[in-house]
Amino acid sequence: MVTVHDVARAAGVSISTVSRALTAPERVAATTRDRVTRIAAELGYRPNLAASGLRMGRTHAVGLLVPDLENPYFASVTKSVQARARAEGYEVFVADTDEDADVEPELIGALAARTDGLLLASPRSGEAELRAALDGLTAVLASRELPAAAPGTGPGTDGDTTAPETVPFVAVDDADGVAQIIGHLHALGHRRVGVAAGPPSSWSGRRRVAGLAAAASRWDLGLVRLGTFQPYFAGGTQAADHAVASGVTAVVAFNDLMALGILDRLRQRGIDVPGRMSVVGFDDVQLATLVSPALTTVHAPLARLGRRAVDLLLARLRGGTPASVQLPVELTIRGSSGPAPAGTAG
């Protein structure tokens, strides 16, 4: 196996110069760096990142915390995070909280001990608990914003009035997504729309409900809150019965998994979709096109979200102060939404 000694000998430089050229290229003259990298490639040398990481106090790994890996949304985000991180020379350790906010601080600590930085996708902890768990760590949030604590009130401040650091985040434009849903349903003649909300601990869920209320007010459309449900298929089956009982002609689900559960339950009850009730989801996971009728939903760029989250984290690890990012979304109209039943349109 080719070693760093072989590269140094062939390039006519010291071992430390080879190490710097491959791990901190900005510290080596361009001509020397180019010669070292060219010879390393010719010899087929691959640096031992684990060993060099131990020497430099770096692991070349990042941690990813998700609420539920069985949810296609987080599976897609995880896949894109892994691909982006590996392309940059980092491995990814993944932990699943199973939608339990109480285990998040423990898992954050465990990941932090083994990685250089953390990505937290839709963490469910409250602001104070999350801020305390991330104190002193290099982290980026996905689908969650964590407002900075007031000076002197954060963990370990002891009254320090210095403005605390803000954790950068990447998220999709939830408000615009649900506004597109309401505009679509209004154009189809729907005037009473049910909302099957997700768990109260979901930041995205709260943004979507608030956006739905604002859009419904602009369109003078009646919004019926059916309740909060678990963000799973089973949560959707429960929500469907509430939707039928409420008399709404359309229902908007927190996510696609719930929307698929609603579709299945309505089918079991012999309720035609979209003839008697329209159903709309959010996220546009792959399963949305595999049902009949195919699901109308808001397309969220999940792969892009995962990549941008990694980019933000690596920028922080390299000493940068990246700005948070909000990604655009687009309503994808399919077969599960249609005109309001005769006699119900406004």
Side-chain angles (χ1 to χ4, degrees):
M1 184 170 63
V2 178
T3 69
V4 68
H5 297 272
D6 300 321
V7 177
R9 188 180 307 111
V13 297
S14 66
I15 293 172
S16 60
T17 298
V18 173
S19 178
R20 285 195 298 273
L22 298 178
T23 61
E26 71 281 356
R27 299 173 57 192
V28 180
T31 54
T32 302
R33 179 182 66 238
D34 293 343
R35 185 168 75 256
V36 169
T37 54
R38 175 178 55 80
I39 291 174
E42 291 174 353
L43 295 177
Y45 172 68
R46 298 183 63 183
N48 187 330
L49 295 180
S52 62
L54 289 174
R55 290 192 298 270
M56 300 172 64
R58 302 289 290 273
T59 66
H60 289 279
V62 297
L64 173 62
L65 189 72
V66 298
D68 180 17
L69 273 174
E70 291 185 342
N71 186 324
Y73 176 99
F74 296 111
S76 296
V77 171
T78 299
K79 187 172 183 177
S80 66
V81 165
Q82 289 179 323
R84 187 64 149 202
R86 286 173 180 167
E88 295 290 336
Y90 283 78
E91 294 300 323
V92 181
F93 294 141
V94 183
D96 183 339
T97 69
D98 198 26
E99 292 284 354
D100 185 354
D102 291 338
V103 305
E104 286 184 350
E106 178 184 349
L107 290 177
I108 288 172
L111 287 173
R114 295 166 172 80
T115 61
D116 296 332
L118 300 179
L119 293 171
L120 277 64
S122 302
R124 304 309 196 199
S125 295
E127 290 182 3
E129 293 79 10
L130 187 57
R131 200 176 290 117
L134 294 178
D135 185 38
L137 302 179
T138 302
V140 166
L141 302 175
S143 300
R144 174 70 186 267
E145 181 181 12
L146 183 64
T153 63
T157 57
D158 295 327
D160 184 1
T161 58
T162 303
E165 183 178 22
T166 300
V167 180
F169 70 93
V170 56
V172 301
D173 193 343
D174 293 295
D176 181 58
V178 294
Q180 291 181 50
I181 292 174
I182 292 299
H184 170 63
L185 293 176
H186 185 275
L188 291 173
H190 296 277
R191 294 299 179 264
R192 278 174 52 83
V193 174
V195 178
S201 59
S202 169
W203 178 78
S204 294
R206 295 194 299 272
R207 292 218 305 176
R208 292 171 190 179
V209 169
L212 284 167
S217 177
R218 290 196 301 271
W219 288 102
D220 193 24
L221 184 150
L223 208 62
V224 179
R225 303 198 181 198
L226 305 175
T228 59
F229 306 89
Q230 287 299 305
Y232 310 128
F233 187 94
T237 62
Q238 295 175 340
D241 290 331
H242 290 268
V244 173
S246 71
V248 298
T249 60
V251 58
V252 180
F254 162 65
N255 65 8
D256 287 348
L257 279 186
M258 287 177 58
L260 295 177
I262 292 171
L263 285 176
D264 185 66
R265 180 59 176 163
L266 293 178
R267 180 189 58 79
Q268 292 177 14
R269 295 188 57 171
I271 296 173
D272 180 61
V273 175
R276 287 180 55 191
M277 185 176 295
S278 290
V279 179
V280 183
F282 203 112
D283 295 333
D284 198 16
V285 299
Q286 288 186 337
L287 291 174
T289 62
L290 302 180
V291 294
S292 182
L295 182 65
T296 293
T297 183
V298 173
H299 175 75
L302 303 183
R304 187 179 172 196
L305 184 146
R307 292 193 299 268
R308 292 301 299 270
V310 172
D311 292 342
L312 291 182
L313 180 59
L314 296 186
R316 294 202 71 194
L317 290 173
R318 293 162 182 162
T321 54
S324 296
V325 178
Q326 182 163 265
L327 303 176
V329 297
E330 183 177 3
L331 180 66
T332 300
I333 300 173
R334 300 192 180 106
S336 69
S337 60
T344 62

